[in-house]
Amino acid sequence: MRLLRISILLFTLTLTSLSGSCQGKLSEVKTANSSNKRDIRSAKADVKLDQIRLLPGFKIEVWAADVPNARSMAMSEEGIVFVGNRQGDSVFALVDENADGKADSKFILAEGLRMPNGVAYKDGDLYVAEVSRILRFKDIKNNLNNPKYEVIYDGYPTERHHGWKFIAFGPDGMLYVPVGAPCNICKSDDEIFASITRLDVTKPGSKPEVFAHGVRNTVGFDWHPVTKELWFTDNGRDMMGDDIPDCELNRATQKGQHFGYPYWHAGNVKDPEFGEKGKDASAYVAPVAKLGAHTAPLGMRFYVGGMFPTTFKNNAIIAKHGSWNRSKKSGYEVDWVQVNSNGHVTERKTFASGWLDEASQEVWGRPVDVQELPDGSILISDDMANCIYRITYTKP
């Protein structure tokens, strides 16, 4: 009897081990031809992948070229990747039809939109954020050839400054929508500015509620796979010099928290214009990690796949878009941030770099967003090189 129990236990442990080591696979997604479909198999990107430095065992390739101003990404269950942009007016769907690890087709889902940076996918529907509106494309995967959208909310502010949006659905089923500060540094009487809001898209007429205050400009967030807490990047203010303040990685443990803007930056940098008008620094939530001044951290995702080493599991991968007003450029890389079970950052490493030539200060690409594919590889969008990369791992 004892031997039987031991055998059952060993069998169970074996199954658990196998299931834990398994990873998903890419699936074929066949689509019909239509007027809004483009074949991008032969498209080329003007990139210098030989200059990209990765951790051992990792490889980077172009997954999709000819994706103008590729910004935020979202994905369907099958692996259809939706992409928004900021400088353009279009939204795209990219399809790897033969599951070979590269996109074959690009669908133009909409044109003439106003900075449609943010995209989110839920229950078969695609959601797109313009500056002041949220759009919904119903049953999008079955309507790639004939996409139509409805406006589900049009009451967000119309200001373009930090008006582009990253959006995502939280564990509560709500759509989280940030509203950046309409300036470099200012204090608005309307609490919706410099915030992260959430919207119930299931209720017609629903209006956004402010979830987090004092957030200058977040263009990327995700929920921790275990704690379900919201983590988000935030871009620090400009015109205080090359090295202050740091951009931030923040953790929101509950609704209603204030993260310091415009009074305090990076937890301990008092604003010279508004610092005296606020409270003591201890009244605001300090960042869990400082990400460097002017590095412009944008998209971030917690890695949950099975392809990468286990040390990546439930840790964050962050795309740093890069500085625009620093005397010596900073950013233009992808970071890997390790988080412990208590929700504290324990280590931060450079995961991928090389888009910036430090010696010449020449830049040829700017990472924007991170999206995990079903097989555990990740995509990185680049709005300067107009493409999306795929990073895979093979044990050295």
Side-chain angles (χ1 to χ4, degrees):
M1 191 66 169
R2 183 170 177 270
L3 288 175
L4 178 61
R5 286 198 299 268
I6 293 174
S7 298
I8 293 173
L9 176 61
L10 290 174
F11 180 69
T12 302
L13 289 174
T14 301
L15 285 179
T16 302
S17 175
L18 288 172
S19 64
S21 64
C22 287
Q23 61 190 51
K25 295 182 179 180
L26 301 178
S27 301
E28 292 186 356
V29 182
K30 299 298 184 181
T31 59
N33 292 327
S34 61
S35 60
N36 69 326
K37 182 181 179 181
R38 307 287 185 269
D39 186 335
I40 59 172
R41 288 173 296 177
S42 60
K44 303 296 182 183
D46 184 11
V47 296
K48 303 174 182 178
L49 295 188
D50 59 316
Q51 297 184 10
I52 298 297
R53 298 178 294 276
L54 296 162
L55 294 176
F58 289 91
K59 179 182 179 181
I60 187 169
E61 298 177 290
V62 172
W63 183 77
D66 189 24
V67 189
N69 195 232
R71 293 278 296 188
S72 296
M73 296 180 287
M75 187 181 67
S76 73
E77 301 89 347
E78 300 85 359
I80 300 171
V81 176
F82 305 101
V83 188
N85 58 36
R86 187 188 76 169
Q87 295 178 350
D89 64 357
S90 305
V91 177
F92 308 107
L94 305 175
V95 183
D96 178 359
E97 306 223 12
N98 58 5
D100 67 346
K102 292 188 177 180
D104 302 301
S105 305
K106 177 182 73 175
F107 289 85
I108 302 171
L109 302 181
E111 296 178 291
L113 303 180
R114 190 179 184 216
M115 301 172 78
N117 182 88
V119 287
Y121 178 85
K122 183 176 174 57
D123 298 333
D125 299 337
L126 173 67
Y127 296 79
V128 175
E130 294 183 277
V131 172
S132 60
R133 305 192 303 176
I134 304 296
L135 316 177
R136 176 167 56 202
F137 294 74
K138 287 188 174 181
D139 192 22
I140 186 61
K141 63 186 178 183
N142 293 314
N143 289 284
L144 294 174
N145 304 102
N146 185 32
K148 296 178 180 179
Y149 66 80
E150 59 183 341
V151 179
I152 62 170
Y153 185 74
D154 64 356
Y156 279 107
T158 58
E159 282 80 354
R160 290 178 60 89
H161 197 119
H162 297 151
W164 56 92
K165 295 169 171 55
F166 173 92
I167 58 173
F169 282 94
D172 56 5
M174 304 276 273
L175 182 64
Y176 283 68
V177 184
V179 180
C183 54
N184 172 38
I185 184 74
C186 60
K187 174 69 172 71
S188 175
D189 292 332
D190 189 343
E191 71 165 0
I192 201 168
F193 286 108
S195 76
I196 299 176
T197 73
R198 60 184 179 184
L199 182 68
D200 188 347
V201 299
T202 67
K203 296 180 179 179
S206 178
K207 294 184 178 180
E209 64 172 347
V210 175
F211 178 82
H213 302 267
V215 181
R216 180 178 178 270
N217 181 35
T218 178
V219 196
F221 44 80
D222 197 9
W223 287 263
H224 191 279
V226 177
T227 67
K228 308 304 180 184
E229 292 172 339
L230 174 65
W231 291 57
F232 62 93
T233 60
D234 196 10
N235 287 212
R237 71 155 289 180
D238 299 309
M239 310 310 175
M240 287 184 67
D242 273 3
D243 300 317
I244 56 172
D246 277 84
C247 294
E248 305 172 7
L249 176 62
N250 290 286
R251 169 188 170 209
T253 57
Q254 61 185 7
K255 176 189 172 184
Q257 293 174 309
H258 196 295
F259 292 84
Y261 178 89
Y263 313 112
W264 291 87
H265 312 286
N268 60 358
V269 177
K270 195 172 187 177
D271 189 82
E273 298 177 55
F274 292 92
E276 293 299 332
K277 300 177 182 179
K279 302 175 183 178
D280 186 79
S282 61
Y284 307 105
V285 181
V288 294
K290 298 179 182 182
L291 302 178
H294 311 296
T295 58
L298 300 186
M300 65 153 289
R301 291 291 198 284
F302 283 104
Y303 185 79
V304 297
M307 177 184 287
F308 290 6
T310 55
T311 48
F312 279 77
K313 195 80 169 185
N314 297 337
N315 290 319
I317 298 174
I318 301 174
K320 290 181 171 179
H321 196 228
S323 60
W324 63 271
N325 64 341
R326 197 172 185 271
S327 60
K328 185 177 181 181
K329 293 182 173 68
S330 61
Y332 307 95
E333 61 187 14
V334 179
D335 276 6
W336 165 35
V337 177
Q338 293 179 288
V339 180
N340 65 19
S341 58
N342 295 321
H344 298 136
V345 172
T346 57
E347 190 173 3
R348 179 165 59 88
K349 297 180 180 179
T350 300
F351 175 61
S353 62
W355 289 276
L356 164 68
D357 185 308
E358 294 284 356
S360 67
Q361 289 289 284
E362 293 295 321
V363 173
W364 59 267
R366 306 187 75 181
V368 178
D369 198 12
V370 182
Q371 176 64 60
E372 186 178 321
L373 287 177
D375 68 341
S377 61
I378 64 168
L379 302 179
I380 305 290
S381 58
D382 184 333
D383 65 351
M384 182 177 185
N386 302 313
C387 70
I388 297 174
Y389 313 102
R390 178 174 176 242
I391 297 180
T392 55
Y393 176 80
T394 303
K395 188 174 181 180

